[in-house]
């Protein structure tokens, strides 16, 4: 049996960060993963350039049943800290949009940095390896892991196996199953940052618009669970995608509607009435100044107004109703594209069962949960990796 101070299961973003920091603090660390190729989610993230953090990361950008839980870890490992780490390896980066930072060349740079940091901490690797069983309270250490590569004993056990999205690259329910088996509560998981789908009947008029993209205001939910964003929306064959929809999907629960403002910041009804009094244009031509032309045409069809109708010939009440529909397009999603297409998991190990400063389970000394396995879900835009880094560092410093 091999003995370590810390065993980390899951060599993704949070696990590699945790293992590296603990190793560099002098702990004997072993890092295990069932995948042959590690860091796959980092590799595919941000279109291959990894949106590795967000300059504005703050608790308000995270969803959790316990919204203050993430505060301590995020305050103690900030976006600046991660930028400093990348810069110490001369990794070039740039800001794309609203504080979102991407690698200049490739997300491989982030994987390379994390592996090098693990090497600097003399971390031992075991992968691909399966962990069959974990026993508590052995003679040699708090935890004994039975694996394909033999037994491993460790006083600290960090679970960093991530969430359920994208099973084909190694996602599993390991963290949730372990928590449940050891009586640690779990907030029911659901797909988040995921495209929304509609019934065939509701989507039939819009299916031909696949590929159309437009900046919109989009909102759903109420109270603490209200999400509202001004971001791009993308129409697809089955429904809606694009950053605005991914953001709102994290707040959406069936059967709630979502409301879309196709002309955010403008009063469409007032502008249509003003245009009626000053112009002799056709409705569809005017709408095409405001919306992508294909959408403008379908919009007139759905409203039951002939595309060649002149504004001057339309009653005021029709224009007001059209304006209201443009500012408040209400849709009822039928569901989401699910784990195959989700970027993150909402829910996870219930944070009320964990220490917010160390990620240690209150009922099981020496056991830590970090990263996406925990009920902390960030917005789109680098917030989820920042949580992975920060929660990994919090556990590493404590264990
Ligand atoms: P992560 O999933 O990174 O790692 C978990 C590790 O555990 C994996 O290596 C897996 O093989 C291993 N594992 C799982 N089950 C196991 C088991 N039973 N035994 C052993 N090992 C096991 N976020 C962001 O901030 N910016 C971005 O640009 C993107 N882009 C993005 C694109 C796509 C397509 C997806 C799917 C996701 C993103 N994300 C993102 C989200 C981000 O990838 C995610 O939040 C982090 O990778 C979570 O880090 P973790 O370390 O918690 O899990």
């Amino acid at each position: 049996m091999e003995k370590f101070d810390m065993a980390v299961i899951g060599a993704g973003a949070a696990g590699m960060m945790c293992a590296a920091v603990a190793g560099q603090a002098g702990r004997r660390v072993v890092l295990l993963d069932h995948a042959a190729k590690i860091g796959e989610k980092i590799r595919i993230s941000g279109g291959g350039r990894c949106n590795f953090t967000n300059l504005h990361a703050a608790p308000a950008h995270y969803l959790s049943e316990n919204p203050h839980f993430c505060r301590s870890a995020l305050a103690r490992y900030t976006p600046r800290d991660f930028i400093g780490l990348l810069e110490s390896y001369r990794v070039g980066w740039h800001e794309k949009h609203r504080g979102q930072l991407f690698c200049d060349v490739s997300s491989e740079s982030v994987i390379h940095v994390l592996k090098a940091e693990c090497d600097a901490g003399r971390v031992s690797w075991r992968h691909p390896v399966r962990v069959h069983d974990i026993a508590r309270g052995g003679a040699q250490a708090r935890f004994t892991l039975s694996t394909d590569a033999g037994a491993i004993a460790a006083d600290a056990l960090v679970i960093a196996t991530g969430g359920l999205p994208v099973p084909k690259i190694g996602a599993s329910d390991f963290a949730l199953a372990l928590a449940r088996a050891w009586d640690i509560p779990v907030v029911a998981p659901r797909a988040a940052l995921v495209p929304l789908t509609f019934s065939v009947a509701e989507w039939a008029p819009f299916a031909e618009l696949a590929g159309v993209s437009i900046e919109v205001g989009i909102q759903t939910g109420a109270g603490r669970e209200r999400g509202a964003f001004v971001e791009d929306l993308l129409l697809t064959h089955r429904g809606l995608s694009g950053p605005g929809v991914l953001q709102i999907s994290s707040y959406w629960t069936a059967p709630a509607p979502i409301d879309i403002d196709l002309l955010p910041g403008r009063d469409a009804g007032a502008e249509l009435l003003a245009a009626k009094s000053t112009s002799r244009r056709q409705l569809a031509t005017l709408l095409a100044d405001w919306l992508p032309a294909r959408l403008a045409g379908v919009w007139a069809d759905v409203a039951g107004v002939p595309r060649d109708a002149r504004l001057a010939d339309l009653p005021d009440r029709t224009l007001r109703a059209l304006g209201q529909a443009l500012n408040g397009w209400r849709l009822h999603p039928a569901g989401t594209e699910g784990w195959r297409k989700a970027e993150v998991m909402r829910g996870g190990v219930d944070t009320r069962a964990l220490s917010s400063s160390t990620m240690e389970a209150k009922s099981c000394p020496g056991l830590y949960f970090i990263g996406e396995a925990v009920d902390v879900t960030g917005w789109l835009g680098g917030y989820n990796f920042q949580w992975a880094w920060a929660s990994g560092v919090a556990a590493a410093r404590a264990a």
Side-chain angles (χ1 to χ4, degrees):
M1 161 123 61
E2 285 183 280
K3 169 93 202 296
F4 292 88
D5 298 321
M6 177 191 278
V8 181
I9 307 181
M16 281 197 277
M17 177 59 105
C18 180
V21 172
Q24 290 178 29
R27 301 272 178 266
R28 284 197 67 217
V29 181
V30 61
L31 180 50
L32 305 98
D33 202 293
H34 67 173
K37 224 171 154 191
I38 54 107
E40 276 302 89
K41 281 213 182 145
I42 300 175
R43 199 185 317 277
I44 63 172
S45 67
R49 296 241 170 123
C50 185
N51 178 193
F52 56 82
T53 192
N54 192 296
L55 288 175
H56 310 305
H61 304 117
Y62 294 85
L63 290 108
S64 170
E65 294 227 332
N66 182 3
H68 299 297
F69 178 83
C70 59
R71 186 175 299 276
S72 165
L74 289 174
R76 285 180 299 130
Y77 191 85
T78 67
R80 289 279 160 210
D81 291 319
F82 195 76
I83 294 167
L85 176 63
L86 291 190
E87 287 181 344
S88 71
Y89 284 83
R90 300 184 190 283
V91 174
W93 55 270
H94 59 278
E95 180 178 351
K96 216 171 180 177
H97 177 62
R98 300 182 186 175
Q100 300 169 6
L101 304 191
F102 288 76
C103 296
D104 283 348
V105 178
S106 158
S107 47
E108 297 279 354
S109 322
V110 173
I111 301 172
H112 168 76
V113 166
L114 292 169
K115 282 182 170 170
E117 286 291 289
C118 286
D119 289 345
R122 298 174 183 278
V123 171
S124 297
W125 289 86
R126 302 284 184 277
H127 83 101
V129 73
R130 263 171 54 86
V131 178
H132 302 290
D133 185 47
I134 304 172
R136 286 189 277 183
Q140 288 206 36
R142 277 182 176 145
F143 304 96
T144 307
L145 283 59
S146 309
T147 81
D148 290 349
I152 290 173
D155 281 323
L157 174 62
V158 181
I159 308 299
T161 49
L164 299 176
V166 203
K168 74 169 186 227
I169 55 165
S172 82
D173 71 347
F174 188 90
L176 306 185
L178 182 79
R180 289 188 184 114
W182 289 3
D183 287 329
I184 295 168
V186 166
V187 175
R190 65 174 209 255
L193 298 183
V194 63
L196 296 173
T197 57
F198 295 85
S199 68
V200 173
E202 183 156 11
W203 205 244
F206 308 107
E208 68 178 88
L209 297 175
V212 168
S213 172
I214 176 178
E215 188 182 77
V216 299
I218 183 164
Q219 59 173 305
T220 192
R224 213 179 74 195
E225 284 290 309
R226 176 176 179 271
F229 297 86
V230 177
E231 288 266 18
D232 284 356
L233 163 151
L234 173 71
L235 289 102
T236 71
H237 292 289
R238 282 162 52 86
L240 292 172
S241 187
V245 171
L246 298 187
Q247 297 282 32
I248 216 73
S249 71
S250 299
Y251 291 83
W252 178 73
T253 44
I258 60 168
D259 291 306
I260 296 171
D261 184 348
L262 289 168
L263 295 169
R266 294 168 57 179
D267 181 338
E271 290 194 34
L272 283 168
L273 289 171
K276 174 179 177 176
S277 59
T278 57
S279 116
R280 295 180 43 75
R281 299 176 74 188
Q282 293 177 347
L283 174 71
T285 327
L286 177 78
L287 287 182
D289 284 350
W290 298 352
L291 307 173
R294 283 163 67 201
L295 175 59
V298 169
W299 197 261
D301 298 346
V302 170
V305 179
R307 292 189 186 198
D308 58 358
R310 288 191 184 284
L311 284 167
D313 299 332
L314 292 170
D316 287 2
R317 74 182 132 70
T318 304
L319 294 178
R320 272 194 217 98
L322 256 170
Q324 272 170 15
L326 287 165
N327 285 131
W329 184 21
R330 175 159 281 205
L331 287 163
H332 291 85
T336 75
E337 294 275 5
W339 297 117
R340 213 171 41 89
K341 289 281 180 70
E343 287 201 8
V344 286
M345 171 176 87
R346 263 210 78 174
V349 176
D350 193 327
T351 56
R352 287 164 289 209
L354 306 177
S355 153
S356 63
S357 54
T358 66
M359 308 295 133
E360 189 174 21
K362 291 175 184 166
S363 62
C364 184
L367 174 68
Y368 300 79
F369 289 92
I370 59 174
E372 198 179 324
V374 177
D375 173 34
V376 172
T377 308
W379 285 4
L380 187 77
Y383 300 101
N384 285 296
F385 278 132
Q386 188 57 36
W387 170 247
W389 319 136
S391 59
V393 170
R397 287 178 181 159

